[in-house]
Amino acid sequence: MMNSDNLSTLFGSLQNKSAFSGVNLSEYALIKKGAYGKALKAYYAEQKDEPVKVSGAKKPLKKTESKAAESISMVKKSADTLSSSLSKLSSDELWSEAGSDKGREKVTKSISDFVSSYNDVLT
């Protein structure tokens, strides 16, 4: 026969922490149906690392590698441009002509090119 002591013992154990405490049953149902698995498969299908040919690379690169290679290539190109503009700016020939109007224009253009190249490297 069921009395209040038996019922409290039976339902009181539900408050104890078990392996399933904190599990949301709706999320569990989605996992069981395979919705999360399908979402993961769709995500990783988009992120698939297929070989991509990048100019200057010795072998085809994976998509993530190609993005890194492109970034490195852009940084190298910007740094080379900065180095070139700095060498123009530090040439004695440029500063020897600085007194004339044409010389000032060359100096101004060289400084502007340097600043532009510097900003490209930073970005």
Side-chain angles (χ1 to χ4, degrees), residues 43 53 87 103 114:
Y43 174 78
K53 182 65 179 160
S87 61
F114 174 76

Side-chain angles (χ1 to χ4, degrees), residues 29-45:
L30 287 173
I31 293 169
K32 194 172 179 182
K33 287 180 184 177
Y36 282 122
K38 289 176 186 175
L40 284 173
K41 284 179 185 176
Y43 174 78
Y44 284 110

